[in-house]
Amino acid sequence: MSISKNFDFKVEEDVGIITIDVPDAPMNTWTEDGIKEFGELVGELEKRDDLKGVILISGKSNNFHAGANLNMLQAMKNRKDVLDGLDLFHSAFNKMESFKFPVIAAINGHCLGGGLELALACTARIAKESPTTIIGLPECLVGVFPGGGGTQRLPRLIGYNAVDLILRGKTLPAAKALEAGIIDRVVGADADILEEAKKFLDEIVSKKVELKRPTQDLSQIDDIAEMARQGVLKVTRGREIPGPMLAIKAIKDGVKVSFKEGIEIEKNCFADVVLSDQAKGGINTFFLKIMSDKPRSMMSKGFEPKPLRKAAVLGFGTMGRGIIVEMLRRMQVPVIVKDIPEALEPGKAALRKILDGMAQRKRLKVPVDDLMNLLIVTSEYIDDFKDVDIVVEAVFEDPKVKAEVYKELCEIVPEDCILASNTSSIPITQLAKDVKNPERFVGTHFFSPVWRMELLEIIRGEKTSQETVDNALNFAAAIRKRPIVCRDNPGFVVNAMLFPYFTTSLDLIGKGVPIEKVDKAMTSFGMPVGPIRLIDEVGIDVPYKAMKSMGVTPPEVLKNVVEAGRYGVKKSGKGFFLVDGSVDPEVLPLIPAKEKKDMTEEEIQDLLFTEMLKIAKELLDHKIVDDPRAVDIGMVWGTGFPPDKGGPLKWADLTGVSERLFGKKFYQD
Ligand code: NAI
C-alpha cells in the first residue's frame, strides 16, 4: 500500500479498515493532498477481491470528517483547477462505489459537508450517538454548496427533503439523520463503533439485513425547486446569491438526468460558485465568526481572568435593562441595579417582560423567577456594592452625570472592580479622569436591543490596562457577545462607519435623489434596511445631535426634518416614513431640492460604500483597530452588513475597490 499522511489502511480478518486522521489538525478536512492520497488508496483497493468489505473510520475521537478545508476553497482562483480538483474527488468516490465489496462509513462525531459526501458514496452508514455527532451539508451557510456529489446523491437517497437540508445547511443529530434516511443504523454512545461497523458489515454481506434504498420519485422537482427558490429569495430579500441559487439549479437539473450527467452539472455549478466573490465573502464571514465566537481566545496568552461572581449596572433604562438580561441569563450571578427611585419599578416590570418573552420562546434555561431573584434593586450605594466584581454604567449620555456617578461609585466598590461604561459618544479617556484607578476603566459599547445584537465594542482608553481589556473580553465571553477591541475614537468603529453613510445618504436626498431610491439601492446591496429608514428607526434627532456635538454642520434636510419635530415614526409618530412603510408626503416639502436627481442604484451603492471605506482606512491608519477583521466583524454583527460579502473591507478587496481607492488591499493574505 502506498504511503499516506492522512489515511492508514490495515486488514483485520478479511475486513479492510481505512482510518482517516489528518495530522496536526483537530478535525479531519479535505486538503489537496488528502484527496490525492484517498484516490491512490481506493485505486489500490479497487483491484482487490480478497476482502469481505471495508470500513471507513476516523482516527479522531469525536470527529469523522468536517468536509472541505475552507482555506483551500478560498484560495481557488481558476476554473480549470476547480474542475480538476473535483475530478479527483469524483474519480475516487466512483472507484469506491465500484468495489466488489461493501464499504461502511463508521461515523463518530461531526460528519459534515465533504465528510458526509464521502459517507454518502459508501454502501452504508452507521453512526454513534453523541453530542458531537452532527450530520449534514452546511456548505450553503458559508456561501458555497455541496460540490462533492452531495446535490446528486442526497436527493436520490432521501428525496425532496434533501433540498431543504442542503439550502438551510441543516445539521442533524444521529437519531434524526436515521429518521431522514441518511444514516442506516445508530448505536449508543458507549458502543465500540468499529466493532458495531464490523457486525453491520457481516449482516450486509450475509444478507441478514436489507438496506432501505427506495427509488425516489423526483418528478415534481421543478415545483419543489421553485418553492425553494422563493424561500431563499425571501431570506435574502430578493438577492440572487450564487451559493443557494446554483445549488437549486444543480439539484433541479441534475436529478432529471443520469447520475453521471448530474455530477457534470454539479461540477459546473460548483465552479461558478466557488469562484464567485460572494463565496469568498461568505467563507470570510465564517472565519470572522470562528474568530469572534471565543472571546477568551482573544485574551493575552496565559491570562487568568478575574472571576465574575457579582455584577452591577448603573441605570435601569433601555440599555441597562438589556445588559441586565444578558448578565442574568448568561452569568446567573447576583446583579445590583441602581437608578432613581421612580425608575426602579418600571425597570423591573420591563425586565420581567423581556425575560417572560424569552421563556415563552424557550430561550431560558432557568425559570424567570429564579433570575429575578438574583436582582438587587436600589437607588442608593448600599453595602452590596462592596464586593462587586464588575460594574457597567448605562446612565444618561451626559459627561457631568457620568462624572458624578464615577466619583460616588469609586468610594464603595473594591479597588480592583472592573468599571465599564456603555457610553456611545463620550471618549473613554475623558471619562476615566473621574475614575479612581483608571487602568481598570474600559468602554463596553452594546447595541440595542442588547439581547439580540451579538456585537460588543470594547474600547481601550489611554489609561486602560491590557489586564482590563482581557477582563472585558472574559466578560464578553460570559455574556456570549462577539467582541471587537478598539481605541478611543468618535463613534468607536461601527458608528464611525455609519456616520458618513448616513450623512451622504441625507445629502443625496437633499439633492433630489428620491428617498425610496437611496434605500432601495442599499437593500439591493444587501443591507437589512436602507439608510434613511435606519435613521428613522434609530431616531432622526440622534445623528443630528451627534453632528452638532462634533461641530459638524448637519445636512439641510436633516436640520429641516428635526426642526419640524419629526424624530422618526417610532419615536415621535412622524419622520421620513408613515407607519405602513411608505414615504410620508409631509416630509417632501422639507427637502431642499425641488427637482429629482437621477442616479443609478450602482452609483448610489458605490458612493455610500466608498464613504464607509474611507473611514475604515482612517480607523486602520490611526490604529483605532489593529486588524481589518475587527471592522468587518463590527459591521456584520453590528449593522447586518451582508454576510455573503464577508464584511465591507473583505468585499472591497474582493471587488478591487480597495486597490482602486487606496492602492492596496485591506487584508494581507
Ligand atoms: P435611558 O434614558 O433609557 O436610561 C438611562 C437611565 O439612567 C435612566 O433610567 C435614568 O434614570 C438613569 N440615570 C440617570 N442618572 C443616573 C444616576 N446618576 N444614577 C443612576 N441612574 C441614573 O438611556 P439609554 O438609552 O439606556 O442609554 C444609556 C447609556 O447607553 C448612554 O450612555 C447611551 O449613550 C448609551 N447607549 C445607548 C444606546 C441606545 O441605543 N439607546 C446604544 C448604545 C449605548
Side-chain angles (χ1 to χ4, degrees):
M1 284 283 150
S2 55
I3 308 241
S4 165
K5 276 195 301 203
N6 299 284
F7 300 92
D8 178 58
F9 181 76
K10 64 180 176 190
V11 178
E12 281 179 11
E13 295 163 8
D14 299 342
V15 176
I17 299 167
I18 301 176
T19 306
I20 320 163
D21 199 349
V22 176
D24 308 319
M27 290 214 171
N28 291 323
T29 55
W30 288 118
T31 57
E32 259 173 68
D33 282 352
I35 297 168
K36 275 187 204 142
E37 286 174 13
F38 188 64
E40 283 162 19
L41 179 59
V42 290
E44 289 173 34
L45 289 176
E46 198 186 15
K47 296 171 212 145
R48 291 183 69 154
D49 50 16
D50 59 330
L51 296 172
K52 183 162 61 175
V54 162
I55 293 171
L56 250 170
I57 193 162
S58 162
K60 314 251 184 240
S61 60
N62 58 4
N63 159 240
F64 174 71
H65 201 293
N69 186 306
L70 291 177
N71 285 312
M72 175 181 79
L73 292 189
Q74 211 180 24
M76 287 180 160
K77 297 247 157 47
N78 80 66
R79 195 173 184 90
K80 185 173 179 306
D81 288 351
V82 178
L83 293 175
D84 288 351
L86 289 172
D87 280 341
L88 284 179
F89 224 73
H90 290 304
S91 129
F93 285 6
N94 292 345
K95 274 181 203 157
M96 192 168 75
E97 279 183 316
S98 69
F99 283 174
K100 298 175 189 80
F101 40 77
V103 183
I104 313 288
I107 300 164
N108 59 322
H110 305 88
C111 176
L112 301 170
L116 177 55
E117 289 174 311
L118 167 68
L120 288 173
C122 294
T123 318
R125 293 151 287 281
I126 179 169
K128 182 164 157 165
E129 214 152 359
S130 124
T132 56
T133 301
I134 48 167
I135 297 162
L137 297 172
E139 288 91 337
C140 277
L141 299 181
V142 292
V144 286
F145 73 76
T151 66
Q152 303 306 307
R153 286 193 178 88
L154 196 61
R156 285 172 168 88
L157 179 69
I158 67 165
Y160 295 130
N161 278 347
V163 179
D164 195 47
L165 284 175
I166 290 172
L167 292 177
R168 286 181 199 268
K170 258 196 210 160
T171 52
L172 306 173
K176 291 268 176 216
L178 178 73
E179 241 174 67
I182 303 173
I183 298 297
D184 299 292
R185 180 171 289 183
V186 173
V187 293
D190 300 331
D192 179 331
I193 184 80
L194 180 58
E195 286 312 311
E196 294 292 338
K198 284 182 183 169
K199 269 191 233 161
F200 192 28
L201 176 67
D202 274 340
E203 289 173 37
I204 293 172
V205 174
S206 63
K207 301 205 165 29
K208 260 197 215 147
V209 59
E210 205 178 318
L211 297 170
K212 282 189 213 135
R213 298 288 181 263
T215 310
Q216 299 292 346
D217 173 9
L218 297 168
S219 55
Q220 305 299 309
I221 192 65
D222 283 345
D223 294 342
I224 299 288
E226 184 49 30
M227 265 162 56
R229 206 179 90 86
Q230 293 305 331
V232 170
L233 290 176
K234 211 167 155 200
V235 176
T236 62
R237 290 178 295 268
R239 294 164 65 231
E240 302 220 354
I241 298 170
M245 286 298 138
L246 285 162
I248 295 172
K249 179 175 163 51
I251 300 172
K252 180 173 74 102
D253 295 350
V255 300
K256 289 182 194 158
V257 292
S258 71
F259 177 75
K260 199 165 164 244
E261 289 165 312
I263 288 289
E264 285 307 309
I265 293 173
E266 183 194 81
K267 263 169 54 187
N268 280 301
C269 290
F270 186 77
D272 288 345
V273 167
V274 88
L275 296 173
S276 72
D277 290 336
Q278 281 92 341
K280 294 188 166 42
I283 293 172
N284 193 58
T285 299
F286 177 77
F287 286 137
L288 296 176
K289 182 174 178 303
I290 302 254
M291 185 181 159
S292 53
D293 260 346
K294 294 199 167 61
R296 289 192 181 100
S297 67
M298 294 159 79
M299 299 187 314
S300 306
K301 225 173 167 199
F303 179 74
E304 281 296 327
K306 177 181 164 60
L308 300 174
R309 287 174 290 233
K310 191 177 192 183
V313 173
L314 305 179
F316 211 176
T318 312
M319 296 305 283
R321 291 167 200 169
I323 297 164
I324 294 168
V325 165
E326 297 304 70
M327 287 173 164
L328 290 178
R329 71 169 173 150
R330 305 293 194 196
M331 294 163 72
Q332 289 167 34
V333 295
V335 179
I336 316 167
V337 55
K338 180 181 175 295
D339 204 313
I340 52 170
E342 308 84 274
L344 301 182
E345 280 314 311
K348 258 172 94 171
L351 184 65
R352 182 176 275 281
K353 199 169 160 209
I354 301 167
L355 290 171
D356 280 342
M358 287 179 172
Q360 267 166 19
R361 292 193 308 279
K362 306 213 178 330
R363 294 279 153 81
L364 294 181
K365 291 199 179 107
V366 181
V368 173
D369 282 341
D370 291 6
L371 294 181
M372 289 302 286
N373 286 340
L374 289 168
L375 191 70
I376 305 160
V377 189
T378 177
S379 55
E380 303 290 333
Y381 284 107
I382 50 177
D383 282 354
D384 286 281
F385 276 96
K386 284 186 175 159
D387 60 350
V388 80
D389 297 305
I390 182 163
V391 180
V392 180
E393 168 275 304
V395 303
F396 294 144
E397 187 72 343
D398 179 337
K400 279 193 215 126
V401 175
K402 293 201 195 268
E404 278 301 309
V405 165
Y406 299 149
K407 273 186 202 146
E408 287 175 6
L409 179 71
C410 291
E411 296 290 307
I412 188 151
V413 294
E415 298 256 311
D416 66 341
C417 171
I418 305 154
L419 301 183
S421 174
N422 184 45
T423 177
S424 45
S425 60
I426 311 168
I428 295 303
T429 304
Q430 178 190 327
L431 291 175
K433 294 200 174 93
D434 295 293
V435 175
K436 199 162 127 195
N437 307 336
E439 65 283 354
R440 43 111 173 229
F441 183 65
V442 65
T444 50
H445 184 228
F446 289 83
F447 290 74
S448 182
V450 178
W451 58 93
R452 239 179 258 141
M453 298 297 287
E454 292 179 38
L455 187 70
L456 176 67
E457 288 179 323
I458 294 177
I459 304 107
R460 191 198 289 270
E462 269 169 28
K463 297 232 164 114
T464 311
S465 66
Q466 182 56 42
E467 189 183 337
T468 303
V469 171
D470 286 337
N471 276 320
L473 287 165
N474 178 50
F475 172 54
I479 55 171
R480 291 210 233 143
K481 291 290 165 207
R482 205 174 282 289
I484 56 173
V485 178
C486 66
R487 292 188 179 77
D488 241 344
N489 175 61
F492 310 127
V493 174
V494 172
N495 287 342
M497 294 279 286
L498 286 178
F499 197 68
Y501 176 64
F502 285 163
T503 46
T504 313
S505 306
L506 290 163
D507 272 341
L508 287 182
I509 62 168
K511 285 179 184 150
V513 184
I515 293 176
E516 300 90 334
K517 193 151 193 188
V518 175
D519 272 4
K520 169 76 177 21
M522 294 323 284
T523 50
S524 302
F525 182 81
M527 298 303 282
V529 288
I532 307 298
R533 178 169 302 283
L534 189 54
I535 295 171
D536 203 281
E537 283 181 10
V538 171
I540 305 172
D541 57 322
V542 175
Y544 179 76
K545 281 186 197 144
M547 284 177 215
K548 292 283 244 188
S549 73
M550 288 160 76
V552 178
T553 313
E556 201 180 333
V557 62
L558 182 63
K559 184 170 164 282
N560 294 350
V561 173
V562 170
E563 284 179 359
R566 310 177 74 96
Y567 297 162
V569 70
K570 281 192 192 147
K571 205 162 180 173
S572 69
K574 282 181 183 225
F576 288 108
F577 298 95
L578 294 170
V579 182
D580 69 5
S582 61
V583 171
D584 188 341
E586 281 182 18
V587 90
L588 299 178
L590 303 171
I591 294 174
K594 294 298 160 230
E595 276 175 24
K596 273 193 184 173
K597 182 176 161 62
D598 213 22
M599 268 181 100
T600 64
E601 263 194 10
E602 288 74 33
E603 283 169 337
I604 298 172
Q605 291 167 350
D606 265 7
L607 179 69
L608 295 181
F609 187 45
T610 302
E611 290 304 310
M612 281 197 227
L613 295 177
K614 285 186 198 155
I615 293 292
K617 173 85 171 33
E618 282 177 25
L619 293 175
L620 284 158
D621 286 351
H622 297 151
K623 303 245 176 293
I624 302 303
V625 287
D626 297 327
D627 189 330
R629 288 166 183 83
V631 177
D632 282 347
I633 292 170
M635 292 301 284
V636 171
W637 283 280
T639 73
F641 190 91
D644 53 285
K645 289 188 157 59
L649 307 197
K650 187 66 185 182
W651 190 244
D653 285 355
L654 286 168
T655 51
V657 177
S658 40
E659 279 174 305
R660 174 162 59 78
L661 289 178
F662 313 116
K664 60 175 187 175
K665 289 186 172 177
F666 285 108
Y667 281 59
Q668 279 148 10
D669 52 9

